[in-house]
Amino acid sequence: QVRLVESGGGTVEAGGSLRLSCGGSGYSSCMTWFRQAPGKPREQVASLNADRDPLYAASVLGRFRISRDPAEHTLHLQMNDLKPEDTGMYYCAVPRWCRAFVVASDYIYEGQGTQVTVTS
């Protein structure tokens, strides 16, 4: 069974940082992080497609950085200057398709998520 497992979530004060990680048998050359807060739709926050430039949502640009460790088959999301509106469950996923400047917002695989809570 294909799996993706996220880790690194937690509770931080506004302005703080967290680093999320994602690994598992579902690791792929094109992957994404999305988040979902209660009562809100999913928001794709960062994507990495092979060696192309990363893609970021406007809401996190300049604060979040997506990266991968190919040797460990692990995807990371460094989140800095966190804000209360960043609170939500964060998931890593494999998009159904990937292009140069956009990736699908539906997914072949996704993990169980890791909770991020930012207090004011």
Side-chain angles (χ1 to χ4, degrees), residues 97-109:
W97 51 260
C98 299
R99 303 289 185 267
F101 301 107
V102 63
V103 301
S105 57
D106 61 321
Y107 310 114
I108 301 172
Y109 309 118

Side-chain angles (χ1 to χ4, degrees), residues 6 10 25 32 36-37 40 45 56 58 60 71-72 74 95-97 99 104 106 108-109:
E6 302 93 341
S25 60
T32 192
Q36 187 163 26
K40 294 186 178 181
V45 296
Y56 296 100
V60 306
E72 297 294 328
T74 303
R96 190 165 300 279
W97 51 260
R99 303 289 185 267
D106 61 321
I108 301 172
Y109 309 118

Side-chain angles (χ1 to χ4, degrees), residues 64-117:
F64 290 14
R65 188 173 73 88
I66 189 172
S67 64
R68 70 168 88 242
D69 182 340
E72 297 294 328
H73 286 195
T74 303
L75 184 74
H76 300 289
L77 185 67
Q78 178 67 43
M79 305 187 297
N80 300 324
D81 189 23
L82 283 161
K83 304 176 180 181
E85 52 264 41
D86 294 318
T87 294
M89 189 71 80
Y90 283 69
Y91 303 83
C92 68
V94 177
R96 190 165 300 279
W97 51 260
C98 299
R99 303 289 185 267
F101 301 107
V102 63
V103 301
S105 57
D106 61 321
Y107 310 114
I108 301 172
Y109 309 118
E110 58 186 76
Q112 295 299 307
T114 185
Q115 177 67 38
V116 171
T117 302

